[in-house]
Amino acid sequence: MVHLEEVEDQDLKQQQPGPYEGDDDEGDYTDTDSSLSDDDTLPSSLAPSESTMDRIYALKDMIPPATRRKITTGVTNTWDALCSGTLFCGRSAYVITTGGLLVLVPYMMAMVEEQQYVEMEREQKARELGSEIMSPGAQAGAPQGARASL
């Protein structure tokens, strides 16, 4: 026949440490239906002793070193390519705009001046045609010393 004997666990009888040792008051009761506010914080004994940056820094241990090295190399190469591309574009823009200013500004000035000369020649021809219309035979048939009378 089987004989059963009850064995008591000594660790079970010991009082377990908790956040509120010795506080069995009803004053610690909070309404669970109410919304949480900023005042409902953990006691200082339960507050985490590490900062958020410490926790983020600890996450690096989750990624193997070879993978971390690949990620770091990829990010570094991408950053270097972007910096080099930006530098090249900036220098190219400087060369193009400077060259354009050195070549195009004098060219535009010469074009404006040429346009003014063409306009002056047109005005001169218009004056000559206007004076011929006003006195059609005065200049063609008049002697050198004679003047047209009014």
Side-chain angles (χ1 to χ4, degrees):
M1 182 151 165
V2 177
H3 178 62
L4 295 176
E5 183 180 335
E6 183 178 353
V7 178
E8 293 184 15
D9 190 6
Q10 293 177 356
D11 292 336
L12 187 62
K13 290 183 178 179
Q14 291 179 353
Q15 185 176 7
Q16 296 179 354
Y20 301 106
E21 290 185 32
D23 287 343
D24 293 335
D25 296 336
E26 291 290 324
D28 291 336
Y29 173 76
T30 56
D31 187 13
T32 57
D33 293 336
S34 65
S35 64
L36 295 175
S37 66
D38 292 338
D39 296 336
D40 298 336
T41 58
L42 292 173
S44 62
S45 64
L46 294 179
S49 61
E50 56 188 24
S51 68
T52 305
M53 285 305 296
D54 292 336
R55 289 182 178 197
I56 292 173
Y57 187 72
L59 289 176
K60 80 171 190 171
D61 294 334
M62 294 176 63
I63 301 172
T67 307
R68 278 187 285 173
R69 193 174 313 111
K70 286 180 184 177
I71 292 171
T72 304
T73 303
V75 169
T76 303
N77 290 342
T78 303
W79 180 256
D80 290 343
L82 285 174
C83 288
S84 298
T86 303
L87 187 64
F88 176 77
C89 289
R91 287 182 179 173
S92 298
Y94 174 76
V95 168
I96 289 170
T97 55
T98 305
L101 286 174
L102 290 175
V103 172
L104 291 178
V105 169
Y107 178 72
M108 295 300 286
M109 296 284 286
M111 280 185 56
V112 168
E113 189 176 342
E114 183 68 25
Q115 188 68 26
Q116 288 175 346
Y117 285 141
V118 169
E119 192 65 34
M120 285 174 48
E121 287 176 2
R122 283 186 190 162
E123 287 179 12
Q124 187 67 26
K125 286 181 182 179
R127 285 183 191 156
E128 289 176 4
L129 287 175
S131 64
E132 286 181 15
I133 292 175
M134 295 292 267
S135 56
Q139 290 184 359
Q144 290 271 348
R147 293 186 184 179
S149 63
L150 292 177

